[in-house]
Amino acid sequence: MSNANFNLLSFSGRMKILHMTWLAFFISFVVWFNHAPLMLVIGKTLNLDDSQIKTILILNVALTIPARIAIGILVDKFGPKRTYSILLGMGSLPCFMFAFAETFEQLALARFLLGFIGAGFVIGIRMVGEWFPARQIGIAEGIYGGWGNFGSAAASGALPMIALLFGGDEGWRYAVASTGVIALVYAFVYYFSVTDTPKGSTYFKPKKSGAMEVTSIGDLIFYIVMTIPLYATLSVLTWKLSSAGVHLLSGIAAYYIHAAIWVLFLYNVYKIYHVNKDHVFRPVEAIHQYKFKQVAILNLSYLITFGSELAVVSMLPLFFFNTFHETQGVTMVQAGLLGGSFAFMNMVARPGGGWFSDRYGRKLSLTIVAAGVLIGFLCMSQITSSWPVSGAVGITLACSFFVQAGCGTVFAMVPLIKRRMTGQIAGMVGAYGNVGGVMFLTVLSFVTPAEFFLVIGAVAFFVLIAVQFIDEPKGHMVEIQEDGSIEMIEVN
């Protein structure tokens, strides 16, 4: 198949890899969100109160931030075929544990562990990056991300029906367990159906594991600073689980977890220094250099795109209900459907953002989507009960389009920075999406919805400025073969 062809109906060559990989991501998201549409009946079966249900929802995302960093390191070292297969297979185990839990504690532990499967997204970014040329990387990554992301919507639509088919108060258990079976089976299917690279290509691995390589002292300091929000977010999640939030953790337990988080941060700083100490204090040849600011700006861009998506999808149904219930008679069911419209755009907008990035440039695309997110949330902040519901939904869909397209433009650029570290870069950028979700939802707990939308808009304005400092990928990135020869990989 030539580089010029991009036939979605094909199931050979690189297109087969794309289809097999977005389906792996789709299944991982079905498993990750298999609890959401069933929480009411799960709560009824196990006699959970509101606080315990909120705890389950928080625990579902708690492990995903460190997991995306860890998975990024593993995929760069062992390759996407093995990493994705093992993740899907291992992820089925806590899925079965969740399905047949008899106590809240068992349910909570299983949900916490299932956060790890939410890191599967990172693996496919490296796989797709290996198989597609720079001129097609945006649309390929967009299809991978957009179609795979739809797994959460598929879980919402299909699992309640599967639970009804099994029948009874315990039907939800078999519905959840069925997703674990699918993940386990597909782990073997994926392993025996794909290869890490096209035939004859080299899979470049980092020289050292445990942290990204950088190429200057300034970038070393920048890298350390950019890891701080990842650990701060884990501390925020711990605070939410403590007596200040849902009371799952005692004060002393929360204290020890906070301490462990920041000890882990110090260990990470040590690993960053250890990986880079042998080369960063002497000049690095220009052909081997890359600028960490590229990663940092993509981190912030994903924070405002995927981060705002995570937060808004969580609050939108209740927002529509509270805004339009009294004045226009919107029911909770209708509000749920209206709220779901925000995520629906993923199937088209994310590939669209990647395609636009391929065709018109990475920097221009990031600039347009950041401006669109800014304007979109400023408009959403103006929604009141006097608005027609159709107008509110129209503004929501328009804002959603830029949010989802922004996710596509971010990962249209990630594989073009440094091939051998694509997994680690994708892991850090992806983790910043979760940071944004936690940050915005924490803000929401203190302000009104209108103020919440304004805060997101303000952050989008800051990101819009930051994007002007990103460099358009040009020429080639350089990797070294095992025999010492140099390979030039086109990035534009």
Side-chain angles (χ1 to χ4, degrees), residues 23 37 97 105 157 174 195 206 214 282 353 364 399:
L23 188 54
M97 188 192 310
E105 288 73 22
Y174 300 101
T195 56
V214 292
R282 57 175 183 261
L364 175 63
C399 182

Side-chain angles (χ1 to χ4, degrees), residues 126-344:
R126 176 79 197 246
M127 177 65 99
V128 174
E130 290 290 333
W131 277 85
F132 284 83
R135 68 181 71 89
Q136 295 177 346
I137 200 74
I139 189 170
E141 297 285 14
I143 288 168
Y144 165 71
W147 293 12
N149 237 311
F150 204 69
S152 58
S156 296
L159 292 183
M161 289 189 291
I162 294 173
L164 285 173
L165 284 175
F166 282 106
D169 292 339
E170 303 293 317
W172 69 268
R173 296 186 184 276
Y174 300 101
V176 169
S178 68
T179 66
V181 172
I182 292 170
L184 184 58
V185 171
Y186 197 76
F188 290 95
V189 172
Y190 192 76
Y191 184 83
F192 291 108
S193 301
V194 303
T195 56
D196 288 333
T197 63
K199 188 175 181 180
S201 297
T202 301
Y203 189 81
F204 294 103
K205 300 179 181 181
K207 298 172 185 175
K208 294 181 181 180
S209 297
M212 273 190 277
E213 299 166 34
V214 292
T215 53
S216 72
I217 296 175
D219 280 355
L220 180 67
I221 296 169
F222 199 2
Y223 179 17
I224 292 170
V225 170
M226 288 300 292
T227 62
I228 294 174
L230 303 177
Y231 293 90
T233 303
L234 294 176
S235 271
V236 170
L237 287 170
T238 302
W239 168 73
K240 284 190 170 187
L241 293 171
S242 71
S243 55
V246 295
H247 301 278
L248 179 66
L249 300 173
S250 65
I252 190 68
Y255 172 82
Y256 282 119
I257 292 173
H258 283 300
I261 288 168
W262 292 102
V263 167
L264 189 61
F265 165 73
L266 293 175
Y267 176 73
N268 192 12
V269 171
Y270 162 75
K271 288 296 292 183
I272 292 170
Y273 172 77
H274 177 73
V275 165
N276 290 287
K277 64 182 175 66
D278 293 333
H279 65 269
V280 80
F281 294 105
R282 57 175 183 261
V284 177
E285 290 183 67
I287 62 169
H288 296 303
Q289 291 180 9
Y290 80 98
K291 297 177 181 177
F292 184 78
K293 74 171 184 179
Q294 303 286 91
V295 180
I297 294 170
L298 292 177
N299 288 344
L300 297 176
S301 300
Y302 207 57
L303 178 148
I304 196 60
T305 53
F306 187 65
S308 66
E309 178 189 347
L310 283 177
V312 172
V313 166
S314 299
M315 59 76 70
L316 209 52
L318 190 60
F319 170 72
F320 275 124
F321 179 76
N322 289 338
T323 304
F324 297 112
H325 174 62
E326 290 187 6
T327 59
Q328 302 186 47
V330 170
T331 66
M332 274 303 295
V333 173
Q334 291 170 332
L337 292 172
L338 294 173
S341 65
F342 197 89
F344 182 75

Side-chain angles (χ1 to χ4, degrees), residues 58-87:
I58 293 171
L59 287 173
N60 194 53
V61 299
L63 194 60
T64 310
I65 293 173
R68 288 192 168 188
I69 302 298
I71 288 294
I73 293 170
L74 292 173
V75 69
D76 284 342
K77 185 172 183 179
F78 297 109
K81 181 177 86 165
R82 278 191 286 178
T83 310
Y84 230 147
S85 299
I86 292 172
L87 181 68

